[in-house]
Amino acid sequence: MLLINGKSWNVLSNEDVLNAINEIEESFFFEFKEDGVKPSKLIEEISAFANTYGGYIFLGVADDKTIVDCKEWNEQRIFSVIHDSISPTPSFDVKKIQFDEDKVIYILRIDEGAEPPYITNKGMIYERISSSSCVVKDSNKLSQMFLKRKEEEKAIEKKITIT
């Protein structure tokens, strides 16, 4: 997984996050979302990251990199929306970052999924292409996702099989 400012997830400081926001652009691995983002749009992004190589969503940050604060979102709502809206549930983590006394953002780290495809509760499958999350419409792409899942299952089975 790509690191933010070369730092492990567990030791990220506010300064690391602020530097990252100022230095990065929305891309294959990074997405900025304002507090008012609809749950369905957030789920599309998470599905896309899980179906490709993982990534980070900075919730409470505008496209122009302005920290706008999170009032509508909190960790509990983020966890609930993800668990209720994507199947299987992807591997993810959430970090709350407090700026000053009145501004909070959340960073969502979505890991590359071991069990693709990750399907939204609307039956859609997304993938990350450049700085966008797009619906998978190509049957070959979908076949690749299933093949990846089967290969992962075989690798796990080899590790746990007792002879």
Side-chain angles (χ1 to χ4, degrees), residues 51-53 127-129 136-146:
N51 281 325
T52 50
Y53 298 107
E127 66 179 327
R128 194 76 178 165
I129 299 175
V136 174
K137 296 181 180 177
D138 180 8
S139 63
N140 288 330
K141 184 59 142 177
L142 194 55
S143 294
Q144 289 173 350
M145 287 181 184
F146 279 110

Side-chain angles (χ1 to χ4, degrees), residues 33-85:
K33 289 293 175 203
E34 292 193 39
D35 184 46
V37 65
K38 293 181 180 180
S40 60
K41 183 61 181 163
L42 191 62
I43 290 306
E44 290 173 12
E45 305 294 352
I46 294 167
S47 169
F49 280 130
N51 281 325
T52 50
Y53 298 107
Y56 297 92
I57 299 172
F58 292 78
L59 186 56
V61 179
D63 286 340
D64 68 1
K65 303 180 182 185
T66 303
I67 296 172
V68 294
D69 193 27
C70 276
K71 295 192 185 315
E72 293 182 32
W73 290 92
N74 59 43
E75 289 176 80
Q76 182 178 352
R77 183 175 184 212
I78 293 166
F79 277 82
S80 294
V81 165
I82 294 171
H83 282 281
D84 293 345
S85 304

Side-chain angles (χ1 to χ4, degrees), residues 1-4 9 12 27-33 41-59 78-79 81-83 86 88-95 106-119 126-128 133 148:
M1 178 69 158
L2 186 68
L3 301 176
I4 295 175
W9 177 253
L12 276 178
S27 64
F28 197 74
F29 295 102
F30 299 104
E31 182 72 33
F32 300 130
K33 289 293 175 203
K41 183 61 181 163
L42 191 62
I43 290 306
E44 290 173 12
E45 305 294 352
I46 294 167
S47 169
F49 280 130
N51 281 325
T52 50
Y53 298 107
Y56 297 92
I57 299 172
F58 292 78
L59 186 56
I78 293 166
F79 277 82
V81 165
I82 294 171
H83 282 281
I86 300 179
T89 301
S91 173
F92 71 97
D93 200 2
V94 177
K95 185 176 284 291
Y106 294 94
I107 303 174
L108 288 68
R109 184 193 74 207
I110 299 93
D111 297 324
E112 177 180 358
E115 301 178 273
Y118 292 86
I119 305 168
Y126 293 85
E127 66 179 327
R128 194 76 178 165
S133 295
K148 179 180 173 185

